[in-house]
Amino acid sequence: MRAFYIPVTLLTIILFSSVAASSYTRQCTAEWIAMLEQCEDFLHEDQWERAEDRLCAAQEGWETHATVLHMILEHEDLEEAERLFSGAFAACREHDSTELRILLHQLRTQLDFLAATQKANLKNIL
């Protein structure tokens, strides 16, 4: 009977860890996406300093959680998000609203993708 409990316990731990990673990723990415949307709203109002502040806040949140994200997500996907953050900062500093809007859209899409990769569904399991 003991041989049955050990695998079931391990599978339960793995299941709960997966659900926790999914929840953590979705919560973080939702927060950053909201900040990036605020950044874009400030762009429409031509408030570059406030837009840059929101972009900085999103990147600071990203960097704060980077260690955990590197443990649960694919490194290539994280590197793509980091590249997009860098490009968005460059466009923001140059006050290039067209390029910044494009990069913000791509960054939001990438963050959505990161959250989607952690969802507990059949597609991700297989």
Side-chain angles (χ1 to χ4, degrees), residues 52-109:
E52 188 172 356
D53 287 345
R54 287 286 74 195
L55 186 57
C56 282
Q59 186 174 31
E60 285 173 6
W62 172 265
E63 290 173 356
T64 300
H65 298 278
T67 303
V68 176
L69 293 174
H70 276 278
M71 288 189 290
I72 60 178
L73 298 170
E74 295 287 327
H75 292 279
E76 296 83 23
D77 298 333
L78 295 172
E79 289 167 1
E80 177 65 16
E82 290 170 358
R83 184 191 66 76
L84 291 167
F85 266 118
S86 295
F89 268 109
C92 191
R93 288 189 184 108
E94 294 173 6
H95 291 219
D96 185 349
S97 62
T98 304
E99 183 68 18
L100 182 54
R101 281 188 181 96
I102 292 168
L103 289 167
L104 288 175
H105 175 74
Q106 290 174 340
L107 185 52
R108 287 193 315 266
T109 302

Side-chain angles (χ1 to χ4, degrees), residues 11-80:
L11 287 174
T12 303
I13 290 170
I14 291 170
L15 175 65
F16 283 122
S17 297
S18 297
V19 170
S22 174
S23 176
Y24 179 84
T25 305
R26 278 183 292 144
Q27 181 181 8
C28 290
T29 56
E31 183 180 321
W32 301 326
I33 288 170
M35 289 179 190
L36 296 173
E37 288 170 349
Q38 290 172 346
C39 178
E40 191 162 6
D41 291 342
F42 290 133
L43 283 180
H44 290 298
E45 300 168 5
D46 206 31
Q47 296 180 4
W48 285 96
E49 285 184 26
R50 293 182 80 184
E52 188 172 356
D53 287 345
R54 287 286 74 195
L55 186 57
C56 282
Q59 186 174 31
E60 285 173 6
W62 172 265
E63 290 173 356
T64 300
H65 298 278
T67 303
V68 176
L69 293 174
H70 276 278
M71 288 189 290
I72 60 178
L73 298 170
E74 295 287 327
H75 292 279
E76 296 83 23
D77 298 333
L78 295 172
E79 289 167 1
E80 177 65 16

Side-chain angles (χ1 to χ4, degrees), residues 18 21-22 25-26 29 69 72-74 77-78 110-121 123-125:
S18 297
S22 174
T25 305
R26 278 183 292 144
T29 56
L69 293 174
I72 60 178
L73 298 170
E74 295 287 327
D77 298 333
L78 295 172
Q110 182 67 18
L111 293 173
D112 276 335
F113 172 75
L114 292 175
T117 62
Q118 294 302 304
K119 284 185 180 174
N121 58 29
K123 176 183 170 189
N124 288 340
I125 292 170

